[in-house]
Each structure stands twice: as C-alpha cells, then as structure tokens.
C-alpha cells in the first residue's frame, strides 16, 4: 500500500493467493493477521526511504517513456511521416515496446528489491 493516511486499511479480499504485498506507506495500514491467512502471500511490512524513492522514480520514468501523450503522438507522427500510410498501424502497435529492455529492467529491479526485503525480514 502507499496511501499516506492512517485511516486507510487495505481490504484483504483484494489480495489474491501467491502475491507479494509491499507496504510503502508511512503508516501500518495492513491487517497482518488476516493478510497472512491468504495462501502463499509474502508480506513486506515496511521499506526504507530509498526504496520508496526508487519505486517513485521508476514509476515516473515508465510514464514519461511510454505513456506520456506527447511521446506517443510524436512517435506516431514521426513514423507516419517517414513511411506514409502503413506506418500508423505499426507505430500504434510498436510504440509502447520501443524499449522493452527498459520496462523489463524497471519491473525486475522493483520485484527483486521486494523479494530481497521480504527474505531479509524473515
């Protein structure tokens, strides 16, 4: 969870079996007893400020590199100009996957940090 308020509680019925739950909020807003009743759940109760900063940085990078409207429109426009009418379909289908390595790296590093922290807390 990452909601910065004491009043919020993560509903445990939202959690599916065999998932990892990482609490990046400043408050303990997860009921550990009911959460650990879900089969196969790995719970990381708290992470440090650097981990939160890196998660936020990766989220901003993902948005800027792949989901920002200006980036998407520029990619489509550039490819249309370069290749004519057929390029629009290719740009729409392939623009998000232009740098799959960056997406993979961001997701993999975030997952590895979560797993490492959960193993360290045990």
């Amino acid at each position: 969870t990452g909601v910065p308020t004491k009043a919020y509680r993560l509903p445990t019925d939202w959690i599916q079996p065999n998932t990892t739950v990482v609490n990046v909020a400043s408050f303990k807003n997860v009921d550990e007893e009911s959460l650990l009743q879900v089969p196969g759940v790995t719970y990381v109760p708290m992470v440090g400020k650097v981990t939160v900063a890196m998660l936020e940085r990766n989220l901003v990078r993902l948005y800027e590199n792949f989901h920002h409207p200006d980036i998407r429109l520029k990619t489509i426009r550039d490819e249309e100009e370069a290749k004519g009418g057929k390029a629009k379909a290719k740009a729409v289908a392939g623009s998000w996957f232009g740098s799959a390595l960056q997406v993979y790296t961001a997701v993999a590093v975030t997952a590895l940090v979560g797993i490492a922290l959960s193993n360290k807390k045990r």
Side-chain angles (χ1 to χ4, degrees):
T1 66
V3 180
T5 178
K6 289 182 182 180
Y8 178 79
R9 300 294 284 182
L10 177 70
T12 54
D13 55 335
W14 289 0
I15 308 301
Q16 296 181 0
N18 301 317
T19 58
T20 300
V21 178
V22 181
N23 187 2
V24 296
S26 318
F27 306 106
K28 189 173 182 178
N29 48 15
V30 175
D31 183 15
E32 286 186 54
E33 281 186 29
S34 63
L35 180 67
L36 294 176
Q37 303 263 334
V38 179
V41 167
T42 302
Y43 177 55
V44 180
M46 186 179 282
V47 296
K49 294 178 182 180
V50 174
T51 304
V52 173
M54 293 298 105
L55 290 171
E56 289 174 353
R57 182 198 67 173
N58 288 344
L59 183 63
V60 170
R61 283 183 175 177
L62 284 171
Y63 174 77
E64 288 175 348
N65 291 335
F66 302 107
H67 297 288
H68 194 277
D70 293 341
I71 299 295
R72 288 182 146 187
L73 291 175
K74 183 179 183 302
T75 301
I76 292 170
R77 189 172 45 245
D78 289 349
E79 289 193 13
E80 279 181 10
E81 289 173 1
K83 296 189 178 182
K86 294 181 182 179
K88 184 173 183 178
K90 184 179 178 187
V92 172
S95 62
W96 194 84
F97 297 103
S99 296
L101 182 60
Q102 290 177 345
V103 175
Y104 173 78
T105 303
V107 171
V109 167
T110 303
L112 289 173
V113 166
I115 291 169
L117 289 172
S118 69
N119 289 337
K120 189 175 183 180
K121 303 278 182 183
R122 289 181 186 184

